[in-house]
Amino acid sequence: MRHASIAEKTGQGRKLLAPFLCAGFPEPGLTLPLMEALAEAGADLIEVGLPYSDPLADGPVLQAAAQRALGAGHRLADTFAALRAFTGSHPEVPVFLMSYANPLLALGPERLAREVAAAGVAGLIVPDLPQAAERLLGPDLPPRIPFATLTTPSERLEALRGSGAPFLYAVSVLGVTGARTGVEDRTLAFLAETRRITNLPVLAGFGVANPAQAAAMAAVCDGVIVGSALAQALEGAADPVAAARAFLEPFRAALVEAPCS
């Protein structure tokens, strides 16, 4: 149902909203209630990141979130426990696990396969592991989510056509994660062209800061991934769960208004 729900929603013209949550942030024990709040606020899927000490693709906001989670004692087992609890009660909301390669490789292929299966993970997002090295993670894993950037050659995009990936992660800016202001014309052209060539659901990530920006991007692709801006909303919030819900609801409303493409 997880993959079908994405295909069905995009086929109906729904613009997908995918919040990114760093597990263990802003404090251990909140991962599950935050996921539940995001689902209630209209998340179509949730990307959960394993906190890691050297997150090369992340900007300062998400780097700080990972360091805070690790410093507070959040561990890999805590992430998987939260995922098991969430997917068991919310099978309609796919969960995609984002991790750098080292934590996954350290588990070993057999344990990794067991953990992600038990956690109900719908797909893996591993930004620092080339597709050619995917075999290092082992067999029997959910699908890897492919990336495309502003500099990805059209030949690479064409190779993804018919891959069956649940969606394509379109990196909408050059550089690391982090909220930006405005949307460049070249970004909109890139999103539209990537969607046309790959024929996959395309979600725009990196730099999505506000509902208006999200709607502008979603008008030419299938939805957005929101990470750093959500982390900023959770930082220092008296009630992080309420803050997560209040943050995401305007994004859901804006995407409802986004024109279908």
Side-chain angles (χ1 to χ4, degrees), residues 69-223:
L70 292 172
H74 184 88
R75 295 295 179 259
L76 186 62
D78 301 318
T79 300
F80 282 125
L83 297 186
R84 287 194 299 272
F86 179 82
T87 59
S89 58
H90 296 79
E92 76 285 359
V93 181
V95 174
F96 292 83
L97 181 65
M98 180 273 179
S99 176
Y100 290 88
N102 277 351
L104 302 182
L105 294 172
L107 285 175
E110 293 183 0
R111 183 182 172 193
L112 176 60
R114 289 197 306 270
E115 293 283 9
V116 298
V121 172
L124 295 176
I125 300 172
V126 190
D128 63 338
L129 187 69
Q131 292 291 132
E134 186 172 330
R135 60 179 177 78
L136 296 176
L137 296 178
D140 304 320
L141 291 175
R144 280 276 304 279
I145 303 303
F147 283 86
T149 71
L150 290 161
T151 59
T152 299
S154 58
E155 293 80 7
R156 165 64 180 154
L157 296 178
E158 289 169 357
L160 294 173
R161 190 176 184 90
S163 67
F167 66 90
L168 182 145
Y169 195 129
V171 179
S172 61
V173 296
L174 296 175
V176 297
T177 61
R180 271 75 164 181
T181 58
V183 184
E184 296 184 7
D185 289 343
R186 66 172 179 170
T187 295
L188 298 178
F190 155 69
L191 293 173
E193 184 68 357
T194 298
R195 186 175 185 242
R196 182 190 67 80
I197 293 176
T198 63
N199 200 30
L200 291 173
V202 171
L203 300 186
F206 285 48
V208 182
N210 56 64
Q213 191 183 38
M217 290 184 177
V220 294
C221 63
D222 297 286

